[in-house]
Amino acid sequence: MSGITAIIHFDGTPIEPDQLEQLVSAIAWRGLDDYGSWINETVGFGSVQLWTTPEEWDSHQPFTTPQGDAAVLDGRIDNRAEVGRQLNIHEHELTAMTDVELFWVAYKKWAQACVDYIAGAYAVIIWDAHKRELFCGRDPLGLRSLFYHWNGRRFYVASTIQALRYLEIFPTTLNDEYMWDYLSTSFSSSFDLEATPFQEIKRLPGGHFLSLTENGISVTRYWKPWELPAIAYKQSIEYADHLKHLFEEVMVAHCRSAGPIGVALSGGLDSSSIVGIAHQMENAGRLPATDMHTFTMVWKNASQSLTSFTDGDYAEIVNKQFGSTSHYLVCDGLTMFDQIPHRGSVPQDEPNFHIFAPWLHMGKKINQTGVRVLLSGAGADDGMSSSLFCIVDWLMQGRVKMALQAVKRVAENGNQNYAHVLFNLILSGLGPRSLAYHIHERQPKHSLLGLNTRFHTRTVPWLPNQDQLIKRSLARHRFIPKNFKNIADQAQFEVSIMLAGDNTKLWSDQYLALPAHIDQRAPFYDRRLIEFFLRIPTIQKMGRSGERKMVMRRAMEKTLPDTIRFRQGNTDYGFTLLDGLRLHWRSIQEMFKNSRAADAGYIDGAAFLKVLSDRRYGSGNVTDADIFPTLGLEFWLHELENPIKIQGLQKAYISD
């Protein structure tokens, strides 16, 4: 994990070293092992590094050539062996080659198409001196960030928005279009994948590459998963076997580390599968023997758990079976509002809200163990989420008996009327999005129908111009590729992949793990696994009784005990919001009595404060998911006025 940046002057003006150092200083918190910069008149590159793999240890960036080429990489290449074979690189040469050098060789071989061959979490910047062309690329899921400003003559690019603003060489204006999308859509991001909170700064979206010459700039989508051929097997066990083999391959890649491995273990299916497969791969000789640490957040009050078991109870089952070095981190008293008016220890690029205090607490504890690589189950819900619209697909395919049986189970599980469920699913699935929205609004909050996958619109009482926002949200779905034959597959593609938003994927990684010098990795967000999940039928993800992630449960049959394999539901940390509202109510009141979001016209501050007051006492019919975006925006706007001071380059860096 690193921080990277570059400056290009096509107007012929030499780059000032102080300006490049400013950019690198602003991202110094992302990597404290190495600092490097390189300037060749009108081209400048900078990097900070956190060394986590054997190949990167004691390495240096930027990578440069005598011809004046340069490259910097934030992230990893997870299919190194495969890429090496395709490039005809001998094994002993590959072992000594860093990921940034391997990326450079891939670029020289395949040019812009190099991103088609590489799996991993990465953002890369390459300067081709011969072509006088700048190339930037991001991994398909956008797990490493990259933002830029281009005024037609000069180009500035960096891992963070705040690094670009730190230069103070161009004004920044709030992007109202982005803000309205962020507040009024269910995925808390923008329909415009390039948009950021500032009009003058753009993001390079995940799955895209950027090409810049003195003739202009172009941004191209290279990852088009809807064009991948479907995977069709005759039996369910074949899907499970395929997933097991693929997951083993992914885990071997993600466990590439120069030290001990850590796992954020909740005791659920996803994180437990990571622990189980890692141990199996070690026993099979596919991973070097290493000490595996698991970290579990626990609250002593068992009533705060979703089940009669606490997370610690489930995690203990996994730790005992696989012999991991376990750490149980007591988080009582830690809430969502412990850092008012800030949300963390480093500047936040975008408005969002996260349970910072417990995660920051865990980061400090992990750092004390010497673990630099932390694996998490993030991404499993996205990849293996299923949709009840498969019932509509079955009806259209003539599989009437299967469809009606599923409707019956859904109605019974949700204590709903059978005919009502069937009628609403058909209308929502086959009708226009506006109809799906109308039906969704009439559903009770506890409805299991999941109709939100058809429109992504969030309607809350404290947002002005509700009707206009709804129309805008519904109309913008014309930007979403509609290439799936089945309604369920299309719906899940929209909600889990295309519109998940960079900010939500990057949150725990970029702003929580990195300040603690930890590279957080998400095996379930690996390109190979995501493409598998998108290519298999939805029914493989959903059991006949409505169980989620069935293909993974089958794949883990010989790995995990049934207590873990069939555990239902996710851990709900919502009580930390409730506790925070109660403990910090006076500070929250002051914040929203002088609401920056209200001053900007984005919300009705008094109405939102009333909702928070009701939520504090457990009343009201607004969900926490509806509340979080507005909280995130308010915190972020206050942070703009009272920014966290960026720690400058350490003296050791400067002396080098």
Side-chain angles (χ1 to χ4, degrees):
M1 189 74 184
S2 308
I4 57 177
T5 186
I7 303 175
I8 309 292
H9 287 177
F10 281 115
D11 59 6
T13 306
I15 292 173
E16 294 290 339
D18 288 348
Q19 191 178 74
L20 182 59
E21 186 172 296
Q22 268 189 295
L23 270 176
V24 181
S25 293
I27 56 175
W29 57 271
R30 295 174 63 91
L32 298 181
D33 289 327
D34 182 67
Y35 153 77
S37 61
W38 170 89
I39 294 178
N40 186 0
E41 295 182 352
T42 60
V43 180
F45 275 52
S47 171
V48 296
Q49 287 183 271
L50 176 68
W51 295 326
T52 59
T53 66
E55 297 83 7
E56 307 304 316
W57 202 265
D58 207 26
S59 67
H60 186 71
Q61 291 195 45
F63 168 82
T64 60
T65 72
Q67 292 75 33
D69 307 307
V72 285
L73 174 70
D74 169 20
R76 310 175 314 278
I77 297 178
D78 287 333
N79 60 337
R80 283 174 56 92
E82 179 184 348
V83 173
R85 284 192 298 270
Q86 292 174 317
L87 293 171
N88 296 318
I89 300 174
H90 294 296
E91 186 174 348
H92 70 277
E93 293 177 310
L94 185 64
T95 302
M97 188 176 289
T98 62
D99 282 351
V100 66
E101 185 178 358
L102 182 57
F103 218 120
W104 165 252
V105 175
Y107 172 79
K108 295 301 288 184
K109 170 74 172 179
W110 297 307
Q112 296 174 345
C114 62
V115 288
D116 292 326
Y117 296 85
I118 292 174
Y122 65 82
V124 66
I125 309 172
I126 295 174
W127 172 248
D128 189 324
H130 176 70
K131 297 180 180 178
R132 289 195 55 78
E133 178 180 10
L134 186 79
F135 172 82
C136 303
R138 287 185 70 196
D139 64 83
L141 274 296
L143 299 175
R144 293 293 184 266
S145 55
L146 207 58
F147 303 96
Y148 66 91
H149 170 76
W150 167 241
N151 64 12
R153 299 175 299 110
R154 298 182 180 184
F155 182 82
Y156 306 87
V157 59
S159 295
T160 70
I161 289 175
Q162 299 302 346
L164 297 176
R165 296 186 70 240
Y166 189 53
L167 284 178
E168 297 183 343
I169 57 174
F170 55 87
T172 52
T173 311
L174 289 181
N175 184 348
D176 289 343
E177 298 286 307
Y178 172 98
M179 298 301 179
W180 289 125
D181 282 351
Y182 165 77
L183 288 171
S184 63
T185 56
S186 64
F187 51 90
S188 298
S189 189
S190 174
F191 284 93
D192 181 355
L193 298 180
E194 295 184 77
T196 76
F198 301 101
Q199 295 180 20
E200 296 81 7
I201 299 174
K202 290 188 176 182
R203 86 176 73 239
L204 177 62
H208 290 66
F209 65 78
L210 177 153
S211 175
L212 175 69
T213 68
E214 51 194 340
N215 295 322
I217 190 171
S218 65
V219 175
T220 305
R221 172 182 283 280
Y222 70 85
W223 190 59
K224 301 176 181 178
W226 55 86
E227 295 181 354
L228 295 170
I231 297 175
Y233 293 125
K234 292 183 179 180
Q235 298 181 1
S236 294
I237 191 62
E238 295 179 89
Y239 293 98
D241 289 343
H242 187 159
L243 174 56
K244 177 75 176 299
H245 175 77
L246 190 59
F247 192 50
E248 291 173 349
E249 179 183 337
V250 167
M251 282 300 303
V252 169
H254 282 253
C255 286
R256 182 166 58 106
S257 173
I261 296 289
V263 180
L265 177 64
S266 69
L269 174 67
D270 310 327
S271 58
S272 300
S273 298
I274 289 173
V275 175
I277 292 298
H279 277 281
Q280 287 185 349
M281 293 299 94
E282 182 179 330
N283 293 336
R286 296 180 62 185
L287 281 177
T290 184
D291 186 14
M292 174 170 285
H293 295 254
T294 64
F295 302 89
T296 304
M297 292 187 292
V298 295
W299 281 261
K300 291 182 178 180
N301 186 352
S303 66
Q304 294 170 335
S305 175
L306 280 177
T307 67
S308 58
F309 270 17
T310 67
D311 273 3
D313 294 328
Y314 283 110
E316 184 65 15
I317 294 172
V318 177
N319 287 322
K320 284 184 177 179
Q321 173 154 338
F322 298 108
S324 306
T325 302
S326 56
H327 306 267
Y328 298 95
L329 311 179
V330 178
C331 297
D332 292 76
L334 300 175
T335 77
M336 294 183 176
F337 301 99
D338 294 347
Q339 300 84 227
I340 290 177
H342 300 111
R343 293 167 295 162
S345 58
V346 296
Q348 311 296 312
D349 280 337
E350 302 182 70
N352 206 313
F353 203 72
H354 203 281
I355 312 167
F356 270 93
W359 277 93
L360 291 172
H361 174 61
M362 185 167 76
K364 293 176 182 178
K365 295 295 183 181
I366 294 171
N367 186 258
Q368 294 170 5
T369 67
V371 167
R372 283 194 169 199
V373 172
L374 180 71
L375 306 181
S376 81
D381 288 340
D382 291 343
M384 286 185 282
S385 57
S386 53
S387 169
L388 290 177
F389 285 121
C390 63
I391 294 173
V392 181
D393 291 327
W394 295 337
L395 288 173
M396 296 176 66
Q397 296 164 6
R399 304 163 76 176
V400 178
K401 183 177 180 181
M402 178 184 293
L404 296 182
Q405 287 176 341
V407 172
K408 181 180 179 181
R409 287 192 296 272
V410 170
E412 291 174 348
N413 289 340
N415 194 27
Q416 300 177 64
N417 180 274
Y418 174 94
H420 180 74
V421 170
L422 178 61
F423 181 72
N424 282 352
L425 277 173
I426 293 174
L427 284 183
S428 301
L430 300 181
R433 293 183 189 275
S434 56
L435 179 60
Y437 167 75
H438 176 72
I439 294 173
H440 173 77
E441 283 299 287
R442 295 173 63 88
Q443 299 297 318
K445 290 295 180 181
H446 64 272
S447 173
L448 299 176
L449 294 187
L451 304 182
N452 194 42
T453 56
R454 288 293 285 163
F455 54 89
H456 308 284
T457 303
R458 183 190 307 282
T459 55
V460 289
W462 58 86
L463 293 186
N465 304 320
Q466 287 284 333
D467 292 339
Q468 181 181 352
L469 291 176
I470 293 168
K471 291 178 181 178
R472 168 196 175 98
S473 180
L474 294 172
R476 288 202 170 193
H477 282 267
R478 66 181 181 273
F479 295 115
I480 303 171
K482 298 176 177 59
N483 297 71
F484 290 95
K485 294 181 180 179
N486 297 328
I487 297 172
D489 291 341
Q490 175 69 37
Q492 285 312 121
F493 177 79
E494 294 174 8
V495 73
S496 64
I497 303 301
M498 284 295 292
L499 301 179
D502 285 349
N503 50 352
T504 54
K505 291 195 186 82
L506 292 167
W507 215 248
S508 61
D509 182 349
Q510 181 159 284
Y511 300 115
L512 299 179
L514 266 183
H517 319 314
I518 297 166
D519 178 10
Q520 184 167 308
R521 303 177 184 175
F524 288 103
Y525 271 138
D526 188 283
R527 174 179 187 165
R528 294 160 289 187
L529 278 179
I530 286 294
E531 289 181 351
F532 170 81
F533 292 138
L534 285 172
R535 295 167 64 194
I536 66 175
T538 300
I539 185 59
Q540 292 300 322
K541 305 173 188 178
M542 185 175 70
R544 293 185 177 275
S545 298
E547 304 97 332
R548 301 164 61 247
K549 306 178 183 178
M550 277 308 299
V551 64
M552 194 69 186
R553 299 183 197 278
R554 295 188 186 104
M556 293 296 106
E557 182 177 2
K558 297 180 180 179
T559 302
L560 298 177
D562 287 351
T563 304
I564 302 297
R565 201 160 61 94
F566 290 105
R567 180 185 175 186
Q568 295 294 321
N570 292 325
T571 305
D572 183 4
Y573 299 113
F575 60 84
T576 62
L577 170 65
L578 192 61
D579 290 347
L581 289 173
R582 292 169 176 168
L583 288 172
H584 302 283
W585 181 243
R586 287 187 178 180
S587 298
I588 295 167
Q589 275 185 309
E590 288 302 314
M591 177 177 283
F592 282 98
K593 284 180 179 177
N594 300 281
S595 169
R596 300 301 183 265
D599 291 344
Y602 297 132
I603 68 168
D604 180 332
F608 185 68
L609 192 58
K610 172 66 166 57
V611 168
L612 289 182
S613 180
D614 291 343
R615 181 69 183 90
R616 181 167 55 123
Y617 295 107
S619 59
N621 61 356
V622 178
T623 67
D624 292 351
D626 291 328
I627 290 173
F628 286 161
T630 302
L631 284 175
L633 178 59
E634 189 66 37
F635 268 68
W636 184 77
L637 290 172
H638 277 271
E639 287 174 10
L640 290 185
E641 293 184 2
N642 182 23
I644 296 173
K645 293 183 179 179
I646 301 173
Q647 182 180 3
L649 295 177
Q650 299 205 0
K651 293 181 180 179
Y653 287 166
I654 298 174
S655 63
D656 288 342

